[in-house]
Amino acid sequence: MPRSHRDVPAHAASADGTLLAHEIVGEGPPLVHVTGAICSRRFPPVVKDVATFATAFRVVTYDRRGRGDSGDTAPWSVEREVEDIEAMIDAVGGTAYLHGHSSGAVLALHAAARLGDKVRGVVLYDAPWAGDAAQRAEYAVLCDRVEALLDRGRHAAALRCFLVGIGMPRAFVALLPLMPGWRRMRALAPTLRYDMALTADLPPVDVASSVRVPVHVVVGERSPAELHTVAATLTSAIPDATTAVLPGQDHLVDAKVLLPELVERFRDPVE
């Protein structure tokens, strides 16, 4: 039986030589979809989201470094992940819109600040920096616990610790090992180090204030209060930023509800 395009992804080299697995799906304005923690392009919710976005956009969906079919050249840094986004933009023609979810929103903001005209515009959903100093300190304790478990090779325990620590119900987390995607999620546990580093501090107002492309800051109505605080901080800091609260939505946003926000903000000019 022939292999599907999802079995044989394309690869693009980032600036440090890391090969990044990606696919390009749909037609329309180019959109790079930047995922959050414990996600890869084959994760069922990501596949579902991309299928929705592809009804209006030409979507680049990729495995962030260390995930899925992508490489992982040490040392990790925010700059390397921004270079990865640049490689994805180049793969779709040299300019693109960005949508970042969760820690992917953190990366999308940094990319908007660093990549200039290659980024046409950005939508950030639930960027998960700390809302205040107390939350930053509390999160630092969680990160230390997760790092210690990862250092001991206890990847499943580290993943469960992280998910409970960020607010996922304990009963749900306890059931995750029974779900089909658990093995794949557990394999991604080492990349929690990257996402924790991205989100360990308060929103970088200096970076936000340097952005010169259109940015739309979105948060779910039912998302944690600290994410609403972060959204307000970003909206105040980013020049001419717009913002929206999606009714009824939480951190795991329904792509069909989010899509109109992308379509409204990412309209290509009529030739």
Side-chain angles (χ1 to χ4, degrees):
M1 180 180 294
R3 303 173 92 190
S4 74
H5 72 286
R6 288 192 177 277
D7 292 322
V8 188
H11 284 81
S14 191
D16 68 351
T18 301
L19 293 180
L20 304 170
H22 67 281
E23 300 164 26
I24 301 175
V25 185
E27 300 295 334
L31 172 68
V32 177
H33 179 46
V34 191
T35 56
I38 313 300
C39 290
S40 68
R41 77 184 199 288
R42 292 188 179 182
F43 189 45
V46 173
V47 173
K48 183 178 179 181
D49 290 350
V50 168
T52 297
F53 298 150
T55 62
F57 297 97
R58 189 175 181 220
V59 184
V60 183
T61 176
Y62 74 106
D63 290 335
R64 284 173 50 192
R65 59 176 54 214
R67 309 177 186 205
D69 297 310
S70 289
D72 192 16
T73 306
W76 176 87
S77 69
V78 175
E79 291 77 11
R80 299 296 81 75
E81 289 228 45
V82 170
E83 289 168 357
D84 296 348
I85 292 174
E86 184 174 20
M88 294 300 97
I89 294 173
D90 290 343
V92 79
T95 65
Y97 296 104
L98 304 181
H99 165 247
H101 176 263
S102 195
S103 61
V106 174
L107 288 172
L109 180 69
H110 282 283
R114 297 174 190 227
L115 298 182
D117 292 341
K118 285 194 168 187
V119 177
R120 300 186 190 183
V122 183
V123 166
L124 310 176
Y125 188 86
D126 269 12
W129 281 287
D132 56 34
Q135 290 165 4
R136 178 176 58 186
E138 182 179 348
Y139 188 57
V141 173
L142 172 64
C143 292
D144 287 344
R145 290 174 180 165
V146 174
E147 288 272 7
L149 290 167
L150 291 173
D151 288 344
R152 291 154 56 192
R154 298 186 59 193
H155 292 177
L159 182 53
R160 290 194 296 267
C161 178
F162 177 78
L163 293 175
V164 171
I166 63 172
M168 191 171 287
R170 287 182 181 273
F172 180 79
V173 172
L175 293 174
L176 282 177
L178 303 177
M179 297 182 181
W182 172 250
R183 185 174 298 179
R184 187 172 293 168
M185 291 178 66
R186 185 179 63 192
L188 297 177
T191 63
L192 285 172
R193 299 182 193 272
Y194 306 163
D195 295 285
M196 292 187 302
L198 285 169
T199 58
D201 214 332
L202 301 174
V205 173
D206 56 338
V207 174
S209 63
S210 73
V211 173
R212 294 295 180 267
V213 301
V215 178
H216 189 49
V217 181
V218 187
V219 64
E221 179 187 29
R222 296 169 55 196
S223 295
E226 59 266 27
L227 299 189
H228 287 258
T229 300
V230 169
T233 300
L234 293 175
T235 303
S236 296
I238 300 168
D240 301 317
T242 55
T243 188
V245 177
L246 295 191
Q249 297 301 300
D250 57 20
H251 193 59
L252 301 178
V253 62
D254 184 337
K256 292 180 180 179
V257 176
L258 180 60
L259 180 61
E261 297 289 330
L262 302 181
V263 171
E264 175 66 24
R265 301 296 162 179
F266 294 162
R267 287 178 175 170
D268 276 352
V270 176
E271 295 293 340

